[in-house]
Amino acid sequence: REKMAQAYDFALDKIGMEIMSYQIWVDYINFLKGVEAVGSYAENQRITAVRRVYQRGCVNPMINIEQLWRDYSKYEEASDPVQASGFHLSTYRQLCSHCMAF
């Protein structure tokens, strides 16, 4: 698992800003979601890892970024509905500022 995560991180460092990189972002997120988490600590680590990749991807201009954002919104709402609005607002502002630059 750790080697796969490192490989995805390496790939995203190299091509994550590519306009056609949507699929690798989704593949990595799905990989992280599929990692078995036993116990609340491991579950929190997995949620944090998935959240980190979503947030990293949502600020990169790419084709299908709207779909990535919608998926991220659903994920946040399912993970922690109370905090979801705060995460959405801050990430949405970053997304908008990056999109306005292009």
Side-chain angles (χ1 to χ4, degrees):
R1 281 188 317 219
E2 186 64 30
K3 291 289 184 191
M4 283 296 292
Q6 289 173 353
Y8 274 116
D9 280 330
F10 177 81
L12 289 175
D13 285 344
K14 300 301 179 195
I15 64 167
M17 291 290 288
E18 181 66 36
I19 195 159
M20 300 294 288
S21 64
Y22 170 79
Q23 192 59 51
I24 193 163
W25 288 100
V26 171
D27 290 345
Y28 188 19
I29 290 164
N30 288 334
F31 167 75
L32 290 173
K33 286 180 179 179
V35 171
E36 184 180 346
V38 179
S40 62
Y41 179 75
E43 179 65 22
N44 286 336
Q45 284 187 311
R46 182 176 60 163
I47 290 169
T48 300
V50 172
R51 181 178 287 144
R52 179 182 56 86
V53 176
Y54 267 126
Q55 290 175 350
R56 190 174 155 202
C58 283
V59 296
N60 289 311
M62 70 179 100
I63 293 175
N64 291 329
I65 192 168
E66 297 88 2
Q67 182 61 48
L68 189 67
W69 175 254
R70 283 191 295 273
D71 293 344
Y72 173 51
S73 295
K74 289 177 189 174
Y75 180 77
E76 282 294 347
E77 289 168 7
S79 296
D80 191 350
V82 174
Q83 292 186 0
S85 61
F87 285 117
H88 290 194
L89 184 58
S90 65
T91 306
Y92 184 73
R93 285 182 181 151
Q94 287 178 339
L95 172 63
C96 288
S97 69
H98 281 75
C99 289
M100 297 294 270
F102 291 93

